[in-house]
Amino acid sequence: MNSSPPTQHLIDRPIARDPVCGMDVDTTAGKPTAEHEGATYHFCNPRCRDRFCEEPERFLDPDLRRQRDLEDAANVPDGATFGCPMCPGQEQDGPGVCDVCGMALEPMGLPPGGDASNPELTDFWNKFTVGIGLVVPLMLVAMGDMIGLPVKSWLGARTAQIVELLLAIPIIFWCGRTFLERGLASLKTGNLNMWTLILIGVSAAFSYSVVATLAPGIFPSNQIRPDGTVGVYFEAAGVIIVLVLLGQILELTARAKTGDSLRALVALTPETTTKLSADGAQTSVPVAELTVGDMVLVKPGDRIPVDGKVSDGQSYVDEALLTGESVPIAKLKGDLVTGGSLNGSGSLTVKVEKVGADTALARIIALVAEAQHSRLPLQNLTDQVARYFVPTVLLIALASFVLWLVLGPPGSLGQAVLAAVSVLIIACPCALGLATPMSVMVATGRGAREGVLVRSASALQAFSEANTLVLDKTGTLTEGRPRLTDIASFSGRSENDVLQLAASLEARSEHPVAHALIAAAEDKGLDLLPVDQFDSITGQGVSGTVAGHTVHVGNAALLSSIGFRAQSDHLSLNDLDAHFAEYERQAKSPLVVLVDGRIAGLLAVADTIKAGAARAVAQLRTQGLDLVMATGDRRATARTIAKELGIFRVHAEMLPDEKSRLISELKTQGERVAFAGDGINDAPALATADASVAMGTGADVAVESAGITLPKGDLSALVRAHRLSVATVDNIRWNLTFAFLYNALLIPVAAGAAYPFTGLMLSPMFAAAAMSLSSVSVILNALRLNTVALSSPPKLD
């Protein structure tokens, strides 16, 4: 698009408009200029000229400028996909507008921009400012008599209408250009929406007024006033545009708040970090340049740049924004750390294990962004209504116009126009379209802040509707790894002696029990002793020579296999059987330690119940969920743990396909089933359930199979996830109820149903104000999800 700069003369001085910033420039004041394709352009300062010279077409073509501004503001990478925040599935390469609803597309995977980074919001603010400056005098000319300013009398009726026309033209065609373009696009594509109604309503009011101003003689005599004019509605059309601009500004500003949680996650990764070279030299480098295997120094108070493993140092790390856990976690050598978490008072040397899109934080951000553009089944109802809503409104507006002409009092053409325009404006389905997406965006952002990652919006609805929650035991209700719980020593040996000998021998084994004994010995500061002649007996235990002693560690089957018959000084075989039975009753696995052929001690290991599990189970029950335990563990162990937690329906010794079959059976009985698990063997059950929750400490395949992931894997997050899902669906239902009732109640009023009783008509200006406020009300209601209590306060003793 090539054009000369618009020029006008004010007080005999040539004034040009800066094509970059839009400011007026006095061309005689020595300001910077630039030549482009034979035209001279004037600028308010050198910076604007330089920007213009870099890419002149950007500032001469409005569509190209809008696209470039969107890309710059969002800092969008090349090849980014843009999608509609209101209409999931409407995606394209590069910016643009949605074919369905007409809203500006946003870069996928990024949070809605704030005030400073949203060019559309800036554009609307500029147009709103100009619109206010024009609509105030327009209102004074049109309605000044009502406040004691007879402007029409001062100017004369005909002149006053010409002034109104001149004031309305820039409001309609510059301030309202975006809305008119969206309305025209909706007509071209056949996707009738709110912009269709605004286009028709404003065009009808403006066109009628233009004809009435320029050719009043063509109207019936009963429409012509004594002064020779016909009533016009320029002020209604102008105020509608300004109010719609205000509504869009409020909506964009409020919608930007839905991205606060996601932007907080994005901001967790530092831009630079301290890299350690092989000789220990420290260098500040961009985090983006780190590669797997690099060593970085995380100083006190710094954020950890990437996922890695602590190779030196110790500290407490705050992972609250990633997991919802408010208590800092101790990190020692060998512990894994997550990028974005906040280091405490110690220094950590971290070996980089994951970078870029592979880090946990990057996956969380991508997951949340994906969920914010997903749909709920509830939204299908909205889509079905919207499909017929706009055509129905157009018919109602047409019927209102015709009925007023036919049944109204003489000279009711003006009232007919008012009624039709009011119906078109007040019925704009913006609030209906915002009802579901806004709540989903707020909820998924809130969930990310609370350690609840939602893969899709449908997962929220499914979890909220579940009445039965099936819980895997290992890794979900329990820690998922054995821990030493009991030590008993005999034959004159101390408990530390027994543990040291057993842990030293088990150090040669890969069995999970071995890890439990080694961890217990490390906690007690016991050194592991040298081992010779190690032997592992599958399903029974281990044996070997430890510091010159023959040691056996295993279960009752081990005693039988080696033909053990002797007695210790303090423990008979009957006593041993009684101890074994008691441990098993407590859901513990007993081990006997033999040293040089004598019973030296007994050990018990168990997969312990997670801290806070009992309270979480009680809270889930009070939230209306019927709880079921499904596990592959032994029946006695499962029942013991279920009893301790207060779970009364237990299915034990189940294979993976049997868990899936159990869920299918529950569903055939009419129950809506949610399943929570963490292991590879849980994937079939997660896929079968109506709603699936993966405890994030488990296998990747479980996480991939679930609609909701709890990175920390704690049951308190499961409580928060359920409360969030219920609150979100309730919030959406309130939004939809409000939007439906709003239209159902106000469309008849706009059509003039109250006129026979009150003698009053609803002005299109008030209709526009009500339409804008309804959209903002829906957004504000959605933002309430940020304040919903998801965690119960601790009980005071």
Side-chain angles (χ1 to χ4, degrees):
M1 175 180 176
N2 300 323
S3 63
S4 297
T7 303
Q8 60 181 4
H9 293 269
L10 298 177
I11 321 178
D12 296 328
R13 290 186 179 182
I15 302 295
R17 176 159 294 175
D18 186 326
V20 175
C21 67
M23 291 185 62
D24 289 336
V25 180
D26 183 351
T27 60
T28 65
K31 296 289 186 179
T33 62
E35 299 289 332
H36 178 67
E37 295 189 356
T40 301
Y41 293 87
H42 299 263
F43 306 92
C44 63
N45 62 65
R47 184 177 179 184
C48 284
R49 179 190 58 193
D50 294 343
R51 290 188 64 197
F52 177 85
C53 291
E54 288 176 0
E55 195 177 6
E57 292 301 330
R58 168 180 183 165
F59 301 101
L60 299 179
D61 185 337
D63 293 332
L64 181 60
R65 178 169 187 161
R66 186 178 300 118
Q67 176 173 327
R68 293 289 190 268
D69 286 348
L70 278 169
E71 291 172 345
D72 289 350
N75 193 23
V76 181
D78 294 337
T81 299
F82 281 66
C84 178
M86 299 300 111
C87 306
Q90 293 295 313
E91 301 174 7
Q92 68 178 43
D93 294 333
V97 296
C98 176
D99 291 337
V100 176
C101 71
M103 287 194 67
L105 302 180
E106 296 178 348
M108 302 287 285
L110 295 175
D115 295 1
S117 62
N118 192 330
E120 185 177 41
L121 182 58
T122 302
D123 180 48
F124 284 166
W125 263 118
N126 293 336
K127 290 178 176 177
F128 177 73
T129 303
V130 173
I132 283 290
L134 294 172
V135 85
V136 170
L138 175 59
M139 294 285 291
L140 289 176
V141 174
M143 308 174 71
D145 292 343
M146 298 181 181
I147 59 174
L149 293 175
V151 180
K152 282 185 179 179
S153 300
W154 299 340
L155 297 175
R158 291 279 298 161
T159 303
Q161 288 190 343
I162 296 296
V163 172
E164 288 184 49
L165 172 60
L166 294 176
L167 289 170
I169 287 174
I171 298 176
I172 304 300
F173 297 103
W174 186 74
C175 298
R177 174 182 171 177
T178 302
F179 309 145
L180 301 183
E181 288 176 343
R182 292 177 179 180
L184 289 172
S186 72
L187 293 175
K188 289 179 182 178
T189 61
N191 294 303
L192 305 183
N193 51 49
M194 66 172 287
W195 307 114
T196 314
L197 303 182
I198 290 175
L199 170 68
I200 295 174
V202 170
S203 298
F206 181 77
S207 300
Y208 171 88
S209 300
V210 169
V211 174
T213 299
L214 302 180
I218 69 173
F219 286 81
S221 58
N222 58 8
Q223 295 288 325
I224 301 175
R225 297 168 177 170
D227 57 14
T229 63
V230 176
V232 295
Y233 305 103
F234 290 118
E235 83 285 354
V239 170
I240 287 170
I241 291 296
V242 171
L243 287 175
V244 172
L245 276 169
L246 177 61
Q248 288 294 291
I249 288 169
L250 294 174
E251 179 182 316
L252 287 171
T253 302
R255 222 174 62 73
K257 295 183 181 299
T258 65
D260 284 350
S261 296
L262 193 51
R263 280 194 296 276
L265 290 175
V266 173
L268 288 180
T269 301
E271 294 183 359
T272 61
T273 190
T274 302
K275 180 179 177 180
L276 297 176
S277 62
D279 60 2
Q282 301 181 14
T283 308
S284 180
V285 299
V287 171
E289 295 182 2
L290 292 176
T291 59
V292 174
D294 286 344
M295 304 295 291
V296 295
L297 176 64
V298 184
K299 299 176 182 178
D302 286 353
R303 289 204 175 271
I304 296 171
V306 290
D307 295 359
K309 180 180 289 187
V310 177
S311 63
D312 190 25
Q314 59 183 23
S315 183
Y316 282 90
V317 174
D318 183 354
E319 300 177 338
L321 278 177
L322 292 171
T323 64
E325 176 59 55
S326 59
V327 179
I329 308 299
K331 298 294 183 180
L332 307 173
K333 183 178 180 179
D335 288 341
L336 298 176
V337 290
T338 305
S341 51
L342 182 63
N343 186 28
S345 58
S347 292
L348 296 175
T349 300
V350 176
K351 182 178 180 181
V352 177
E353 294 195 339
K354 293 181 180 179
V355 296
D358 294 330
T359 64
L361 180 58
R363 294 199 303 272
I364 289 171
I365 293 170
L367 190 66
V368 175
E370 177 185 347
Q372 291 188 341
H373 285 85
S374 61
R375 298 170 61 85
L376 272 84
L378 264 177
Q379 203 163 344
N380 294 332
L381 172 63
T382 306
D383 293 342
Q384 292 172 7
V385 172
R387 188 175 299 117
Y388 303 102
F389 184 79
V390 174
T392 301
V393 170
L394 292 173
L395 290 175
I396 294 173
L398 178 61
S400 301
F401 181 81
V402 172
L403 289 174
W404 270 99
L405 285 181
V406 174
L407 303 178
S412 58
L413 178 60
Q415 284 90 340
V417 172
L418 280 177
V421 172
S422 294
V423 168
L424 291 170
I425 299 302
I426 206 164
C428 285
C430 184
L432 195 61
L434 290 169
T436 298
M438 285 297 98
S439 296
V440 170
M441 293 183 76
V442 176
T444 51
R446 174 74 189 278
R449 198 167 69 238
E450 295 283 350
V452 177
L453 301 183
V454 181
R455 179 176 296 277
S456 66
S458 59
L460 284 171
Q461 183 173 340
F463 199 19
S464 74
E465 294 173 347
N467 53 20
T468 300
L469 174 60
V470 179
L471 296 159
D472 175 50
K473 179 185 75 69
T474 306
T476 301
L477 295 170
T478 64
E479 294 291 349
R481 56 185 182 274
R483 185 173 65 85
L484 181 67
T485 59
D486 297 88
I487 304 176
S489 60
F490 306 99
S491 301
R493 292 190 175 273
S494 68
E495 292 183 356
N496 283 352
D497 286 341
V498 173
L499 177 58
Q500 186 179 37
L501 291 168
S504 299
L505 184 60
E506 290 283 5
R508 301 286 295 273
S509 170
E510 293 297 326
H511 195 278
V513 168
H515 298 300
L517 299 186
I518 294 169
E522 290 178 349
D523 288 343
K524 289 179 175 291
L526 303 177
D527 295 328
L528 298 183
L529 304 174
V531 176
D532 295 318
Q533 301 177 351
F534 174 82
D535 185 29
S536 175
I537 308 170
T538 303
Q540 298 179 10
V542 293
S543 65
T545 301
V546 182
H549 298 284
T550 301
V551 180
H552 293 77
V553 180
N555 54 25
L558 175 67
L559 296 180
S560 299
S561 68
I562 65 174
F564 179 77
R565 291 289 183 270
Q567 297 179 347
S568 73
D569 297 336
H570 305 285
L571 189 69
S572 68
L573 287 178
N574 289 335
D575 292 336
L576 182 62
D577 291 339
H579 276 82
F580 273 34
E582 177 61 21
Y583 284 143
E584 290 175 349
R585 188 187 66 79
Q586 298 175 17
K588 300 175 182 178
S589 298
L591 299 171
V592 62
V593 180
L594 301 180
V595 178
D596 297 329
R598 301 179 68 83
I599 298 177
L602 294 178
L603 305 175
V605 295
D607 182 9
T608 56
I609 294 175
K610 287 184 176 181
R615 180 183 179 186
V617 165
Q619 290 173 334
L620 290 168
R621 188 180 295 108
T622 61
Q623 290 169 209
L625 290 169
D626 186 12
L627 303 181
V628 179
M629 178 193 289
T631 178
D633 208 343
R634 294 175 302 168
R635 197 174 306 277
T637 300
R639 286 178 175 171
T640 299
I641 291 177
K643 182 178 180 181
E644 187 172 343
L645 291 173
I647 298 175
F648 307 108
R649 298 171 66 182
V650 181
H651 297 265
E653 300 177 5
M654 302 192 78
L655 298 174
D657 61 323
E658 291 175 329
K659 292 182 183 179
S660 179
R661 191 157 52 246
L662 168 65
I663 291 172
S664 296
E665 291 173 357
L666 293 173
K667 290 168 68 174
T668 59
Q669 296 169 13
E671 298 186 46
R672 294 185 296 278
V673 183
F675 179 83
D678 80 320
I680 292 176
N681 63 331
D682 293 327
L686 287 165
T688 305
D690 295 308
S692 51
V693 182
M695 313 303 283
T697 54
D700 289 342
V701 66
V703 174
E704 291 298 323
S705 302
I708 297 174
T709 301
L710 311 178
K712 190 67 176 179
D714 62 307
L715 287 169
S716 62
L718 186 60
V719 175
R720 296 196 295 272
H722 186 254
R723 287 179 177 170
L724 178 65
S725 67
V726 172
T728 301
V729 173
D730 285 346
N731 190 273
I732 291 171
R733 289 194 173 116
W734 274 109
N735 278 348
L736 292 173
T737 299
F738 175 79
F740 281 126
L741 286 178
Y742 161 82
N743 285 293
L745 294 175
L746 293 186
I747 287 178
V749 176
Y755 183 82
F757 310 103
T758 64
L760 298 175
M761 291 285 293
L762 181 65
S763 166
M765 294 182 290
F766 291 109
M771 180 268 292
S772 298
L773 289 175
S774 68
S775 300
V776 174
S777 298
V778 164
I779 294 174
L780 293 177
N781 184 55
L783 290 173
R784 287 195 310 108
L785 286 170
N786 279 322
T787 63
V788 171
L790 301 182
S791 300
S792 298
K795 294 182 180 181
L796 299 177
D797 294 333

